[in-house]
């Protein structure tokens, strides 16, 4: 059975910013957080890819990966993930290969097949793929990391011959089948889409085929979490995440909102249930509630690693949230 004090914990950063906030300040806040969690023993710092979403500044994922890696020393830095249909596989291999060459042994490549945006922005991104060929795109990308063959016409330079861990990300059963088939580690986006989590993990583990990259299944589960000095304070801080999710459901995307004392009157009963469904794994509380909540998720999923999303309107509160999480995990996040 998995135990919290022996389970690696990692961080997923959407690079959120408050409404009217300065984007440069959002990037500096991410740098501050990455440095902070590195000292706390977190295993990875991953950055998501989103486009044309008010309140989220993680569109240039690879650029931000370089920024974070260049301002830290040990923590692994990766994409959570790069939305592969938005990019040519060789470009991703070259970009990530460049990062791995600069920061050897520290770069992860998480791949997803969703656009990370709306249909109009998809066209602006010049997307030629709907994600239907995701498995072929992944195979092509992975091939560029293999040692170059004599006479090979197209090479990733840098990229060829580098051992970059490739993770398959997903929020559906499709990704579970694919990750198992190609023998890659699997990260489930249950921080916002937990509905298929348990079935997806069951499929992945049952169908897993060992590969040169991975001999046994490896699962990472996304968890939204806000930790504070008390349950009441954590619940108040968590309303910023609820408000952002509510805005997405209403088609009203905006910057991160300040917390409120109560969500009463701010959503309908149906909206409340919809937010609760999306954030079913949410853990918000003081030390005891966070410890118990994260352990319950481990009990249910037997995850090998948890990747945490903790968004608060106040930067200091986010730093403190990850401090408390590390404390309740027994200061052994790695």
């Amino acid at each position: 059975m998995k135990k919290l004090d022996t389970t690696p914990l990692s961080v997923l950063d959407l690079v959120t910013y408050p409404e009217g906030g300065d984007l440069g300040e959002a990037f500096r806040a991410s740098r501050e957080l990455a440095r902070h969690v590195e000292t706390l023993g977190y295993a990875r710092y991953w950055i998501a890819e989103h486009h044309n979403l008010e309140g989220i500044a993680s569109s240039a994922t690879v650029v931000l990966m370089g920024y974070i890696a260049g301002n830290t020393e040990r923590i692994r830095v990766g994409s959570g993930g790069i939305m592969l249909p938005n990019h040519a596989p060789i470009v991703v291999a070259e970009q990530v290969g460049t990062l791995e060459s600069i920061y050897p042994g520290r770069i992860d490549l998480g791949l997803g097949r969703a656009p990370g945006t709306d249909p109009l922005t998809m066209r602006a991104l010049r997307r030629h793929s709907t994600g239907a060929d995701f498995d072929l795109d992944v195979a092509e990308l992975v091939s560029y990391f293999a040692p170059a063959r004599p006479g090979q016409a197209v090479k990733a330079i840098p990229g060829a011959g580098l051992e970059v861990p490739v993770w398959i990300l997903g929020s559906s059963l499709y990704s579970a089948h694919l990750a198992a088939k190609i023998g890659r580690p699997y990260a489930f986006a249950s921080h916002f889409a937990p509905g298929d989590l348990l079935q997806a993990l069951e499929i992945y583990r049952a169908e897993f085929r060992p590969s040169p990259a991975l001999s046994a299944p490896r699962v990472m589960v996304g968890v939204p979490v806000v930790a504070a000095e008390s349950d009441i304070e954590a619940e108040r801080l968590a309303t910023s995440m609820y408000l952002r999710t509510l805005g997405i459901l209403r088609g009203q995307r905006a910057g991160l909102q300040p917390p409120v004392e109560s969500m009463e009157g701010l959503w309908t009963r149906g909206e409340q249930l919809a937010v609760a469904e999306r954030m079913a794994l949410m853990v918000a509380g003081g030390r005891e509630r966070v410890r118990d909540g994260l352990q319950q998720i481990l009990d249910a999923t037997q995850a090998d690693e948890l990747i945490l999303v903790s968004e608060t309107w106040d930067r200091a509160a986010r730093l403190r949230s990850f401090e408390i999480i590390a404390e309740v995990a027994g200061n052994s996040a790695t």
Side-chain angles (χ1 to χ4, degrees):
M1 299 295 288
K2 304 293 184 178
K3 296 297 182 183
L4 183 59
D5 61 359
T6 57
T7 299
L9 301 180
S10 294
V11 176
L12 176 61
D13 187 6
L14 278 65
V15 194
T16 55
Y17 59 90
E19 190 165 12
D22 177 79
L23 294 182
E25 189 60 27
F27 300 139
R28 288 186 287 274
S30 290
R31 178 184 62 188
E32 180 184 31
L33 178 61
R35 288 172 167 172
H36 190 59
V37 298
E38 181 175 63
T39 67
L40 297 172
Y42 284 81
R44 310 173 199 277
Y45 194 97
W46 280 11
I47 299 165
E49 177 185 344
H50 292 285
H51 300 276
N52 194 31
L53 292 179
E54 292 288 344
I56 296 178
S58 57
S59 56
T61 310
V62 174
V63 175
L64 289 176
M65 287 168 60
Y67 177 62
I68 295 301
N71 282 280
T72 52
E73 297 179 359
R74 299 175 305 280
I75 196 168
R76 297 195 66 90
V77 178
S79 57
I82 286 176
M83 301 297 104
L84 190 52
N86 293 344
H87 312 277
I90 190 170
V91 173
V92 176
E94 290 170 339
Q95 292 176 341
V96 174
T98 298
L99 289 179
E100 174 63 22
S101 299
I102 298 171
Y103 309 105
R106 293 184 56 205
I107 303 300
D108 295 327
L109 176 56
L111 299 172
R113 70 178 183 129
T117 189
D118 57 86
L120 284 175
T121 308
M122 285 167 54
R123 287 195 284 274
L125 287 165
R126 302 296 193 270
R127 294 180 73 239
H128 301 296
S129 170
T130 62
D133 297 328
F134 181 63
D135 56 340
L136 299 179
D137 288 342
V138 171
E140 180 184 346
L141 195 162
V142 169
S143 74
Y144 291 125
F145 289 125
R149 303 181 304 276
Q152 182 175 334
V154 179
K155 306 173 187 177
I157 305 172
L162 297 180
E163 294 185 6
V164 178
V166 176
W167 291 69
I168 301 301
L169 279 57
S171 58
S172 69
L173 305 185
Y174 169 90
S175 56
H177 290 294
L178 176 61
K181 180 181 179 180
I182 64 176
R184 293 286 174 169
Y186 183 43
F188 197 87
S190 40
H191 58 288
F192 74 90
D196 291 330
L197 170 62
L198 296 181
Q199 187 179 359
L201 298 188
E202 182 179 358
I203 289 170
Y204 171 68
R205 288 168 173 145
E207 298 181 2
F208 182 83
R209 301 178 187 176
S211 72
L214 192 66
S215 61
R218 181 170 180 82
V219 166
M220 182 156 57
V221 169
V223 182
V225 55
V226 175
E229 301 300 332
S230 68
D231 292 348
I232 293 175
E233 176 61 8
E235 289 168 358
R236 186 184 73 85
L237 293 171
T239 59
S240 292
M241 295 179 73
Y242 298 147
L243 289 167
R244 186 172 68 83
T245 302
L246 178 61
I248 292 172
L249 291 171
R250 290 175 172 175
Q252 301 170 349
R253 303 176 188 273
L256 202 62
Q257 303 292 313
V260 294
E261 296 301 323
S262 171
M263 292 291 294
E264 188 71 28
L266 299 179
W267 52 17
T268 67
R269 177 59 175 164
E271 288 172 333
Q272 181 180 1
L273 293 174
V275 171
E277 182 179 8
R278 284 195 172 211
M279 306 195 74
L281 267 64
M282 180 72 175
V283 178
R287 289 169 175 78
E288 184 175 354
R289 185 186 288 182
V290 168
R291 181 187 302 109
D292 292 347
L294 294 178
Q295 183 60 57
Q296 287 172 16
I297 292 170
L298 284 174
D299 292 342
T301 64
Q302 291 299 294
D304 301 295
E305 190 168 337
L306 299 179
I307 187 162
L308 311 177
V309 180
S310 189
E311 300 169 7
T312 62
W313 190 76
D314 179 75
R315 283 172 57 173
R318 183 167 69 154
L319 296 174
R320 185 61 182 141
S321 178
F322 282 106
E323 282 181 7
I324 293 172
I325 294 165
E327 290 172 10
V328 302
N331 290 319
S332 57
T334 57

